[in-house]
Amino acid sequence: MSNDKSISRRALLKGSLALTAGLTASRALAEKTITPSQVEGPFYPIKPQTDRDLDLTQIQGHESAAKGEAIWVTGKVLDENGEPLANAVVDVWQANAAGRYAHPGDTNSAPLDPDFQGWGIVNTDESGQYRFKTIKPGAYGVSGSWSRPPHIHFKVSKRGFFELTTQMYFANEALNNTDGILNNVPEPGRSSLIVDFVQHNEFDAPVGQFDIILRKV
Ligand SMILES: [Fe+2]
C-alpha cells in the first residue's frame, strides 16, 4: 500500500463519522424504496485484475493517479426496514474520465487510462457502510443521438437478499433527462439513483451518498 493510500484511508475514517451528521440521508432511505435494478450492460470487467480495492484512482505500484475529477462515493446497504447490512459485497465498475471502459468489447475511440483502476469490490462494515474513491466517469455515445450520462455500475449482494444490479447517476447532468435506461425506472426509485456530490471538509474530494436497499429473498 502506498503512503498516499494510508493518508486517504485515515482521512476517510474521520470523514465517515462526520458524514453521518453532515449529509442528509438519501431519499431512498427516507422512503424505504427498494433500490431499483437496471441492466448490467456489456462492460462488466472480464480481465483479471489484482488491485480491486476502494481507491480506484490509484493502481498499486503506479506512479500516477487516474485522470479526471476525483470523488468519493459512500453510503449504507440496508434492508427494507432500514436495518444496516454488514458484510454486504459492493462491486462497482465504470468508464474512465473520457468515457471509455477497459473492456475489449468497448469500441469507443476515447483513450484508455492505464492509471485508472476502473473496478472495485468492497464490503460494508458493521454499520452497513461502504465507501470508495474514484473519478467521475465521462459520458459516452451508444447509438445515433443517444449518449449515456455519467454513471457508475453497482452489483450488490448479501446472503438472504436478492442480488441487485443497478447504476448510480450524478445530479444536474443534462443527459440524465434523455437517457432511456434511467428514465425507464419509475419514481420514486428513479430519484434514489441520482446523487448530489458536495464538498465536505473531512474529504479530499467531493462526496456523494448513495444508500442501497435490498429486498429479502
Ligand atoms: Fe455503463
Side-chain angles (χ1 to χ4, degrees):
M1 186 170 33
S2 76
N3 215 27
D4 282 345
K5 270 194 178 173
S6 312
I7 291 165
S8 62
R9 275 170 211 268
R10 270 202 306 278
L12 185 60
L13 279 176
K14 278 202 304 181
S16 66
L17 296 175
L19 195 64
T20 311
L23 288 184
T24 49
S26 76
R27 222 169 298 188
L29 179 55
E31 296 176 3
K32 308 233 179 6
T33 305
I34 290 171
T35 305
S37 64
Q38 295 166 91
V39 290
E40 180 175 304
F43 303 130
Y44 184 81
I46 55 170
K47 282 195 269 183
Q49 191 173 305
T50 47
D51 188 355
R52 297 181 302 194
D53 74 353
L54 66 81
D55 188 355
L56 279 70
T57 70
Q58 187 69 57
I59 297 178
Q60 233 163 45
H62 285 221
E63 294 258 312
S64 309
K67 293 182 184 69
E69 180 193 347
I71 53 171
W72 284 97
V73 182
T74 184
K76 287 190 171 193
V77 178
L78 305 153
D79 71 10
E80 292 163 63
N81 300 315
E83 292 299 321
L85 298 177
N87 219 31
V89 178
V90 180
D91 182 340
V92 295
W93 70 102
Q94 63 168 86
N96 67 24
R100 173 83 184 267
Y101 288 87
H103 187 290
D106 188 356
T107 55
N108 183 346
S109 60
L112 287 165
D113 179 354
D115 297 312
F116 180 48
Q117 190 176 299
W119 182 20
I121 302 179
V122 298
N123 284 60
T124 57
D125 66 14
E126 284 307 303
S127 62
Q129 189 143 25
Y130 72 88
R131 55 196 69 90
F132 59 93
K133 187 180 188 183
T134 186
I135 51 91
K136 183 176 175 182
Y140 57 88
V142 179
S143 64
S145 60
W146 179 27
S147 283
R148 300 257 21 237
H151 61 278
I152 299 177
H153 293 265
F154 278 71
K155 206 189 274 277
V156 184
S157 55
K158 168 80 186 173
R159 188 185 294 262
F161 293 82
F162 286 100
E163 182 176 273
L164 173 73
T165 300
T166 195
Q167 302 179 32
M168 186 218 86
Y169 300 83
F170 295 76
N172 308 312
E173 289 290 329
L175 287 172
N176 287 346
N177 303 323
T178 51
D179 185 59
I181 294 175
L182 174 59
N183 288 291
N184 251 351
V185 180
E187 290 291 13
R190 189 195 309 152
S191 300
S192 74
L193 301 172
I194 302 173
V195 173
D196 242 323
F197 282 77
V198 295
Q199 296 290 342
H200 191 285
N201 56 14
E202 298 286 352
F203 287 82
D204 59 4
V207 56
Q209 184 169 348
F210 181 47
D211 293 327
I212 295 159
I213 300 183
L214 299 183
R215 186 155 59 96
K216 253 199 165 76
V217 170

